[in-house]
Amino acid sequence: MARREASFICQNCGAAYGRWQGRCDACGEWNTIAEESSATARPQMPGRAPRKGRLFALEPLVGAAHDAPRFATGLAEFDRVTGGGFVRGSVLLLGGDPGIGKSTLLIQVAAALARGRHRSVYISGEEAVAQVRLRAERLGLSSASVELAAETAIEDVVATLGDGETPRLVIIDSIQTMWTDLVESAPGTVTQVRASAQALIRFAKRSGAAVILVGHVTKDGQIAGPRVVEHMVDAVLSFEGEGSHQFRILRAVKNRFGPTDEIGVFEMTGGGLREVANPSELFLSERDLGAPGTAVFAGIEGSRPLLVEIQALVAPTSLGTPRRAVVGWDPNRLSMVLAVLEAHCGVRLSGHDVYLNVAGGLRIQEPAADLAAAAALVSSLADAPLPADAVYFGEISLSGAVRPVAQTAARLKEAQKLGFARAVAPEGSGEQAPALKCVGSLATLVAEIAANGRRRMENGRRNSAGG
Ligand code: TYD
Ligand code: MG
């Protein structure tokens, strides 16, 4: 008996089922499973021999390596994130909240390429040509030779792009507004988005043009609906920032041709996005000197050192379960630091609400921020301002020890460059800085901060004697 082909496909994650169901077991989404006319499940004609496979040439891995030819845009912060520029025939997905500046960034990228005499095309499905022009005018780019169109039909777009000289860069703003004749569902649905993306990816691979797809983002930070598009493209970039801050951070979430830990920093100004070559200065520009509960963290983002302020507020709670709120850092790491403070340093926080914030809307992923977070927390609890000219970094282990982290020299150099005279760092960080203070355990640091405190910590100092 012939095996029954699964033909119910989750439109969100692509999982296949033999029958319809309301909720996808794989991704947990509701109402995303739809029957697909399965072209793959072609029935075999009885009495006819199966088609013989065509032979194709296999190529050796060595020798034929023409390395991925890239072209840079000239926007250094953008090129840094893509890994040195666009790879020919690659497709990028750029996600971000509405109004964060995706269209602004991309028209600037298109103009930068056009300035380098590369043909770049901007297809907008959301705005009229006049609106795109108006924005370009505001950015002072109206003389750039970017070619514009307001189109949403994918077949027309692909036909137009394939006509004449192949563009170097094609921008599709946004993929959710595009639709193809091949499928029947409405624009913006998962099936449409996937089919449109497929057509554009085929075009990119065939022609060698780099294609950027703009994707909308849902509230929880996912690129709306089609997670599948993320798997289809070569790179996924996300453009982030807080509405109230002017900083914007471009981050690679996935990159087949480059690193994923680099960030590009921009500042949204009246004249568009400005590249920020020295982000530390920007992130520290609004420091509240002398206030308790703030510590400067000397971090590394990708290949670049970055100083950023970590702010903590510890206040007695009026709730049964105290609040723990974190912005810009991993809540699990906060829980861990709080547990270590309690277990090894005698700092009791179970009766306190704890808030932790990374200034400037930056999101930190490094464990090296542990020490700075702990210093900020204790500083707030003890009402003891930390020295304004000190930076902190180091990973805290569950035993309360401060562990060394990578790239110490780069962190210290950046701190020195920005006028910080002191660094509090793990033991064995070397003699790079004259005023480097090495701490072996968190308890030493806590005792020292508390000694300068204006408020006595209710800690009983059971275990905090050691160092
Ligand atoms: P936009 O690029 O349209 O966002 P997206 O495409 O991600 O939805 O940017 C919209 C915001 O950017 C808008 O709130 C105004 C701001 N902006 C500036 O501050 N300066 C500028 O020069 C431009 C063009 C936009
Ligand atoms: Mg837009």
Side-chain angles (χ1 to χ4, degrees):
M1 225 170 82
R3 199 166 54 84
R4 207 186 118 96
E5 289 282 338
S7 57
F8 290 86
I9 313 287
C10 171
Q11 303 293 309
N12 186 47
C13 69
Y17 297 91
R19 58 180 177 76
W20 189 85
Q21 57 190 60
R23 183 169 186 262
C24 173
D25 296 336
C27 66
E29 288 293 317
W30 288 92
N31 266 335
T32 52
I33 295 176
E35 185 167 11
E36 293 207 352
S37 47
S38 47
T40 47
R42 190 189 303 149
Q44 231 170 56
M45 293 291 170
R48 192 184 289 181
R51 189 177 81 90
K52 258 186 142 181
R54 180 179 60 86
L55 299 183
F56 56 86
L58 296 169
E59 294 202 25
L61 179 61
V62 289
H66 21 258
D67 64 336
R70 289 177 185 275
F71 51 96
T73 61
L75 277 177
E77 293 295 300
F78 192 89
D79 290 339
R80 179 200 301 281
V81 177
T82 52
F86 296 112
V87 172
R88 292 236 166 93
S90 68
V91 180
L92 281 83
L93 179 66
L94 175 71
D97 292 331
I100 202 74
K102 299 182 292 298
S103 306
T104 309
L105 177 67
L106 291 181
I107 196 80
Q108 287 184 250
V109 167
L113 266 186
R115 223 175 289 132
R117 308 230 179 292
H118 297 301
R119 185 177 175 216
S120 51
V121 179
Y122 187 104
I123 310 274
S124 177
E126 309 201 324
E127 294 159 300
V129 169
Q131 286 173 298
V132 179
R133 261 198 208 121
L134 207 67
R135 178 186 291 121
E137 220 162 88
R138 194 169 150 191
L139 302 174
L141 300 172
S142 45
S143 61
S145 59
V146 178
E147 295 167 49
L148 299 178
E151 275 300 329
T152 52
I154 280 295
E155 278 76 25
D156 301 350
V157 169
V158 170
T160 309
L161 294 176
D163 189 38
E165 186 204 342
T166 306
R168 272 294 172 82
L169 176 69
V170 178
I171 290 161
I172 305 288
D173 189 0
S174 64
I175 186 67
Q176 273 97 351
T177 55
M178 298 292 145
W179 59 277
T180 160
D181 285 335
L182 295 176
V183 292
E184 288 202 338
S185 29
T189 57
V190 181
T191 325
Q192 273 291 2
V193 167
R194 184 154 67 162
S196 304
Q198 240 152 18
L200 289 164
I201 291 168
R202 262 197 311 274
F203 164 76
K205 303 289 168 206
R206 199 178 58 227
S207 67
V211 175
I212 305 184
L213 311 175
V214 173
H216 291 302
V217 161
T218 55
K219 267 192 247 84
D220 55 356
Q222 306 290 357
I223 297 193
R227 294 302 313 260
V228 272
V229 175
E230 291 190 27
H231 301 300
M232 289 156 62
V233 297
D234 298 306
V236 180
L237 308 184
S238 104
F239 202 38
E240 309 164 352
E242 299 263 331
S244 51
H245 293 293
Q246 72 273 38
F247 319 126
R248 299 284 183 272
I249 289 164
L250 186 68
R251 198 185 279 281
V253 180
K254 156 187 170 176
N255 194 350
R256 282 186 188 149
F257 306 118
T260 53
D261 53 359
E262 293 285 0
I263 63 167
V265 184
F266 296 87
E267 187 181 5
M268 181 61 97
T269 68
L273 289 158
R274 193 178 67 78
E275 295 183 78
V276 177
N278 193 341
S280 298
E281 269 170 22
L282 190 70
F283 285 116
L284 293 177
S285 61
E286 290 160 11
R287 280 182 75 200
D288 195 2
L289 291 175
T294 66
V296 176
F297 165 52
I300 299 277
E301 283 287 345
S303 60
R304 174 160 67 159
L306 183 62
L307 302 193
V308 60
E309 188 180 76
I310 295 188
Q311 307 164 343
L313 178 64
V314 178
T317 185
S318 53
L319 304 167
T321 315
R323 285 206 61 168
R324 268 90 181 95
V326 198
V327 179
W329 202 41
D330 181 2
N332 291 328
R333 288 212 80 86
L334 174 66
S335 305
M336 199 201 81
V337 168
L338 293 178
V340 172
L341 280 172
E342 184 140 346
H344 297 290
C345 313
V347 178
R348 298 270 284 280
L349 290 159
S350 50
H352 289 79
D353 290 335
V354 173
Y355 304 91
L356 196 82
N357 177 40
V358 177
L362 193 71
R363 209 177 61 213
I364 296 180
Q365 276 145 354
E366 268 192 293
D370 290 353
L371 197 67
L377 289 166
V378 176
S379 158
S380 173
L381 180 69
D383 194 16
L386 298 172
D389 61 347
V391 296
Y392 295 78
F393 62 89
E395 182 179 343
I396 296 173
S397 72
L398 285 176
S399 66
V402 179
R403 303 234 312 257
V405 294
Q407 308 204 46
T408 306
R411 295 174 203 264
L412 292 174
K413 201 163 147 226
E414 177 81 356
Q416 251 174 347
K417 200 170 92 192
L418 286 160
F420 287 85
R422 284 186 265 184
V424 179
E427 241 155 34
S429 293
E431 299 88 41
Q432 284 101 339
L436 182 69
K437 200 166 100 49
C438 295
V439 289
S441 83
L442 185 56
T444 333
L445 181 65
V446 170
E448 200 167 291
I449 297 172
N452 298 323
R454 297 186 281 240
R455 188 185 303 137
R456 221 176 60 76
M457 297 200 307
E458 38 154 330
N459 62 10
R461 308 209 150 264
R462 286 165 305 145
N463 308 318
S464 60

